[in-house]
Amino acid sequence: MAMPTQNLSPQTNATDFLPLKGTDHVEFYVGNARQAAYFYRAAFGMSLVAYSGPETGQRDHASYVLQQGKVRFVLTTALRPDSDIARHVQLHGDGVRAIALWVDDAHQAWLETTRRGAQSVQEPTEYSDEYGRVTIASIATYGDTIHTFIDRGHYTGTFFPGYQTITHDPIARPVGLLHIDHMVGNVGWNAMNQWVDFYANVMGFSLYQHFDDKDISTEYSALMSKVMANGNGYVKFPINEPAEGRRKSQIEEYLDFYQGPGVQHIALATSDILATVSALQRQGIDFLTIPHSYYTELQSRVGKIDEPVEELERLGILVDRDDEGYMLQIFTRPVEDRPTLFYEIIQRKGSRSFGKGNFKALFEAIEREQALRGNL
Ligand code: FE2
């Protein structure tokens, strides 16, 4: 069924050699996809829309496709120990394996990136069933994380050939999540610029914002971050590296427990953060808590905002403003027992920032949690 495509399409846009239509999906390798899927459905409100496993002829793994708005997650687990999926889970715990990017031509995306030095993980391969065909190809990025290019222009099925469609999910309790705003990678000491160069040279991204250890430091720890964005700005990847501080930084804690670089957090956009976060809290999602002093200073720092400050404080939502407007954001605790991947819920009201004014309050909140875990 799988056969490589051979046709090359001409480059249509000389300024963007890797045109991306957005994030297609994020694939996680997990220890028990059935139970992880229940968490994402009941707590995050995602709907199970497709499934692949032994019942559909898949012998060595099972995958659950979950969707809410344009956010699509695939939870994949190994059915046997001798598998790359099982090895990934043993080393990293549950985590992101693939950030899949939606393209018009997966073959061309693979060619353009590999000729610029990307390491190929999967050559362009076409899969088909009665609903049409999908072409995918993959390249390596930081750690064991990969980027998959996926072209589904000739496919009318729910997700991918071989998946069974689930038409109704009685467990899903949607909370208003719309799309992925950004996905952040943690890389090792002094490795940020190497990965910034990778996104610039191999994938045609450019530097969107930059934060140094003076922007992002507390009494104890520091980090540096550069945000890379693709040509149309639909895909944004901040890259963090640890910086020297008096204690262990949250990035070092992540690198210790993930056993290397990987995805640190996924920011999910909503148009009503008060409603979304209220629902998530009701459904069992744990967020970082922010001290009262943050809210007494809030109005003088960000000026007039639409949301009542006491509501923001009750929920623990942070606010930041720049020249273009403001944004509201909140961060979950890690969603695994290892202090690795967590989520951000974000609502933008004009601002395109990443919450620089909140970094100190946020990192102090994370450090309180690190101290509880004995990792500060
Ligand atoms: Fe973020």
Side-chain angles (χ1 to χ4, degrees):
M1 186 174 71
M3 54 180 202
T5 52
Q6 295 301 330
N7 54 323
L8 279 173
S9 59
Q11 176 119 8
T12 50
N13 184 347
T15 60
D16 188 357
F17 62 81
L18 184 62
L20 303 176
K21 301 169 88 172
T23 305
D24 186 89
H25 67 268
V26 181
E27 183 172 25
F28 303 74
Y29 282 176
V30 300
N32 184 333
R34 184 182 297 257
Q35 290 188 9
Y38 186 85
F39 171 76
Y40 280 101
R41 293 156 74 196
F44 273 95
M46 304 192 72
S47 295
L48 178 64
V49 297
Y51 168 79
S52 166
E55 301 86 344
T56 68
Q58 193 62 258
R59 300 314 298 169
D60 64 349
H61 67 273
S63 294
Y64 295 72
V65 183
L66 309 174
Q67 194 148 358
Q68 185 170 183
K70 292 180 186 166
V71 183
R72 181 157 50 194
F73 290 165
V74 180
L75 305 176
T76 294
T77 198
L79 299 178
R80 299 174 185 284
D82 181 24
S83 121
D84 289 341
I85 300 162
R87 278 186 289 275
H88 195 278
V89 171
Q90 185 185 19
L91 187 60
H92 303 297
D94 289 7
V96 172
R97 164 61 172 171
I99 301 170
L101 302 167
W102 180 23
V103 296
D104 277 329
D105 187 336
H107 194 275
Q108 184 72 9
W110 179 86
L111 269 183
E112 294 287 355
T113 50
T114 53
R115 81 155 58 119
R116 287 171 171 82
Q119 180 196 332
S120 176
V121 174
Q122 183 182 6
E123 292 190 9
T125 309
E126 187 179 290
Y127 297 87
S128 59
D129 65 10
E130 70 260 45
Y131 299 106
R133 62 183 196 276
V134 177
T135 306
I136 65 170
S138 299
I139 60 169
T141 179
Y142 47 79
D144 284 332
T145 315
I146 65 172
H147 287 305
T148 297
F149 302 116
I150 180 159
D151 157 15
R152 51 173 75 256
H154 303 280
Y155 194 66
T156 59
T158 304
F159 177 62
F160 199 81
Y163 279 72
Q164 166 194 331
T165 294
I166 312 289
T167 50
H168 173 64
D169 184 350
I171 291 167
R173 296 180 283 191
V175 298
L177 299 175
L178 300 175
H179 58 85
I180 293 176
D181 186 274
H182 59 275
M183 291 187 65
V184 181
N186 281 343
V187 300
W189 288 98
N190 305 311
M192 177 180 68
N193 284 327
Q194 170 202 333
W195 289 104
V196 164
D197 290 347
F198 168 86
Y199 281 103
N201 301 333
V202 173
M203 295 188 64
F205 283 41
S206 51
L207 183 65
Y208 188 75
Q209 289 180 32
H210 172 209
F211 309 100
D212 64 23
D213 47 355
K214 283 177 277 303
D215 296 317
I216 317 181
S217 67
T218 66
E219 185 186 351
Y220 294 129
S221 65
L223 64 88
M224 295 194 281
S225 187
K226 286 182 177 173
V227 182
M228 301 303 288
N230 81 312
N232 60 18
Y234 290 177
V235 179
K236 295 190 194 75
F237 294 142
I239 309 289
N240 296 334
E241 72 175 15
E244 287 295 346
R246 284 171 52 201
R247 301 269 186 96
K248 181 185 276 195
S249 77
Q250 50 161 314
I251 310 303
E252 291 172 86
E253 186 195 38
Y254 176 100
L255 294 169
D256 277 1
F257 281 86
Y258 201 72
Q259 298 284 312
V263 172
Q264 178 210 38
H265 76 265
I266 302 174
L268 303 172
T270 171
S271 60
D272 184 350
I273 197 166
L274 295 175
T276 296
V277 171
S278 297
L280 287 169
Q281 287 188 355
R282 246 188 343 263
Q283 293 173 186
I285 298 295
D286 285 329
F287 291 92
L288 296 178
T289 55
I290 303 299
H292 177 65
S293 57
Y294 175 89
Y295 295 94
T296 57
E297 296 153 12
L298 183 62
Q299 228 140 21
S300 62
R301 188 167 63 78
V302 301
K304 190 175 158 20
I305 52 173
D306 303 332
E307 296 74 15
V309 171
E310 53 286 4
E311 272 297 282
L312 298 175
E313 178 168 3
R314 187 177 64 79
L315 296 167
I317 294 168
L318 305 167
V319 188
D320 199 20
R321 184 183 284 283
D322 62 17
D323 302 343
E324 298 175 298
Y326 68 99
M327 53 92 90
L328 306 107
Q329 61 184 169
I330 188 170
F331 296 84
T332 72
R333 295 201 167 94
V335 296
E336 312 76 19
D337 293 292
R338 298 193 199 194
T340 54
L341 176 76
F342 60 88
Y343 287 86
E344 174 181 352
I345 308 298
I346 184 167
Q347 181 178 3
R348 295 189 179 279
K349 292 191 155 181
S351 168
R352 286 183 283 181
S353 90
F354 290 81
K356 181 175 164 177
N358 291 324
F359 287 164
K360 195 171 164 66
L362 171 63
F363 297 136
E364 285 171 352
I366 292 174
E367 283 165 9
R368 285 192 293 277
E369 310 264 325
Q370 272 182 260
L372 288 175
R373 293 190 284 261
N375 296 330
L376 184 63

